[in-house]
Amino acid sequence: MVVYFDNNATTPLDPAVADKMCGFLKEHYGNPSSIYPLGRAVKEIITSAREAVAGALGAQRGEVFFTGSGTEADNWAIQGVLNTLPEKREIITSAIEHPAILNQAKFLEKKGIQFRYVPVDGSGIIDLDFLRAAVTPQTALISVMHANNEIGTVQPIETVVAIAREHGVLVHCDAVQSFGKLDLDVVKLGVDLLSVSGHKIYGPKGVGALFIRKGVDLCPFIHGGHQERGMRAGTENTVGIVGFGEAARILMERGRKDRDRIGRLTESLKEGIASHIPKVIFNGHPEKRVKNTLNVAFPGLESEAILLALATKGVSVSTGSACSSESEEVSPVLLAIGLRPEIARSCIRISLGRFNTEEDVRVFLRELPEIIVKLRQISAFDPEA
Ligand code: PLP
């Protein structure tokens, strides 16, 4: 049996999305920029996918621009604002952003852009007083993620926007991990720019979108043809966009029901872990969090060993964000919430999704306690210590 508990890394393609994509691939090869019927048909299909993604975000159709990934949307947001406001050279972001923001920041710092990193408390919530004090007339943008990919903590984006508005500063939000896991409404959030990705909502990989609020002036990111209304050149990933649109449509239809069920499964998993395994620590905020994610420390152990032992039983979990799980580096997110490196190295991330069942939870709770007991015996862990 295969138990897939790594839905924050990526989600399985919904079969209905796969059907839609296959049907499209077989029928539609036209270039959406062509003005004859073969091309026009594809353009219309892209328009309805854009409508679906916009609908799921509470945005207008004209505010959604397709990109090649969530990472690209994050890069466009920051570098687009810097190019639009060349006189402003400062960006404020949080200490626990995804590498799509933090590694981009490292790159831009070398080019003279100054980044200020808002610290977080032990549950992963940003320090709003620090944020307030960090804004200067040089600030071009505040970029704060919505839900954290590793610990699931959800940031107070509306308050971030209120602070930014006092200073006339634009706000970008990386919502790649909250899209599908929370009711996203760009109007309620009040942000100017927001990134999402297809493969986190049971859609295909290699397609994302950037919401650009109507009236916000943003430089194009990729220059060339007039695709995406001249904002993101390159012949469209038509099949990816079709899949993303269908995934967004399904989200609007059944997203809330899915979330409640996933939340209950995750809660029973958490209770099972807490009651069967001594001395575990659950990271992240207890309430302000997406309901599918658990990040658990097993003091005395190495997360890699737990992950590999689970893998031999057919269970997939992660040691951190997918992008950093192959590196030796300790998760910066876990360090930022104040964990000691040896505790951070003992954490695994369990993230549930639409296709998980009660049986998955039962299998996991049967395998994990045994694995932990064995590994703790080898590591001479003293639970009384
Ligand atoms: N931002 C966050 C918070 C993410 O979790 C991810 C992916 O894990 C990304 C951005 C990058 O999205 P993509 O994989 O579409 O490039």
Side-chain angles (χ1 to χ4, degrees), residues 8 69-71 74 98 100 145 147 149 174 176-177 197 199-200 323:
N8 285 9
S69 61
T71 300
D74 282 348
H98 186 270
M145 74 195 322
N149 43 304
D174 176 342
V176 168
Q177 286 294 346
S197 177
H199 73 104
K200 310 286 183 179
C323 311

Side-chain angles (χ1 to χ4, degrees), residues 140-159:
L141 178 73
I142 299 174
S143 177
V144 175
M145 74 195 322
H146 200 195
N148 183 267
N149 43 304
E150 291 187 50
I151 56 175
T153 298
V154 174
Q155 302 297 343
I157 298 297
E158 282 102 327
T159 315

Side-chain angles (χ1 to χ4, degrees), residues 32-34 43 224-234 236:
S33 297
S34 304
K43 192 167 192 114
H226 53 265
Q227 293 89 354
E228 295 300 288
R229 290 149 286 159
M231 292 291 278
R232 197 272 186 184
E236 296 86 344

Side-chain angles (χ1 to χ4, degrees), residues 216-259:
V216 169
D217 184 21
L218 192 75
C219 261
F221 191 48
I222 299 180
H223 302 270
H226 53 265
Q227 293 89 354
E228 295 300 288
R229 290 149 286 159
M231 292 291 278
R232 197 272 186 184
T235 300
E236 296 86 344
N237 170 11
T238 51
V239 69
I241 290 171
V242 165
F244 192 13
E246 183 64 5
R249 197 193 57 69
I250 295 171
L251 204 61
M252 284 190 279
E253 205 174 82
R254 59 178 282 187
R256 198 168 287 174
K257 223 165 132 195
D258 276 348
R259 279 202 295 278

Side-chain angles (χ1 to χ4, degrees), residues 9-190:
T10 196
T11 52
L13 197 64
D14 190 297
V17 174
D19 286 348
K20 185 96 182 181
M21 291 172 73
C22 288
F24 174 86
L25 271 177
K26 283 180 193 156
E27 256 184 66
H28 295 283
Y29 57 86
N31 186 325
S33 297
S34 304
I35 56 168
Y36 42 78
L38 268 177
R40 284 201 171 279
V42 177
K43 192 167 192 114
E44 272 167 35
I45 293 170
I46 290 182
T47 300
S48 72
R50 197 184 310 282
E51 259 161 21
V53 174
L57 292 173
Q60 295 170 32
R61 188 177 80 194
E63 296 175 315
V64 171
F65 294 82
F66 289 114
T67 63
S69 61
T71 300
E72 184 188 315
D74 282 348
N75 276 260
W76 183 7
I78 291 187
Q79 291 171 56
V81 169
L82 286 170
N83 288 334
T84 308
L85 304 171
E87 69 287 2
K88 303 206 175 200
R89 301 285 84 188
E90 287 177 13
I91 304 276
I92 301 174
T93 189
S94 87
I96 62 165
E97 297 293 311
H98 186 270
I101 299 289
L102 292 182
N103 285 340
Q104 184 187 177
K106 275 190 208 158
F107 169 75
L108 291 171
E109 277 169 344
K110 288 194 201 121
K111 294 179 169 282
I113 306 300
Q114 202 191 334
F115 277 78
R116 286 162 197 245
Y117 301 92
V118 182
V120 295
D121 65 17
S123 67
I125 301 278
I126 55 165
D127 180 338
L128 289 166
D129 290 332
F130 183 104
L131 172 64
R132 244 177 233 112
V135 185
T136 78
Q138 272 289 301
T139 307
L141 178 73
I142 299 174
S143 177
V144 175
M145 74 195 322
H146 200 195
N148 183 267
N149 43 304
E150 291 187 50
I151 56 175
T153 298
V154 174
Q155 302 297 343
I157 298 297
E158 282 102 327
T159 315
V160 171
V161 170
I163 293 168
R165 291 286 171 264
E166 285 170 23
H167 301 273
V169 172
L170 294 169
V171 176
H172 166 248
C173 180
D174 176 342
V176 168
Q177 286 294 346
S178 58
F179 194 27
K181 301 183 183 109
L182 297 171
D183 267 329
L184 262 199
D185 183 339
V186 289
V187 176
K188 237 201 242 153
L189 285 177

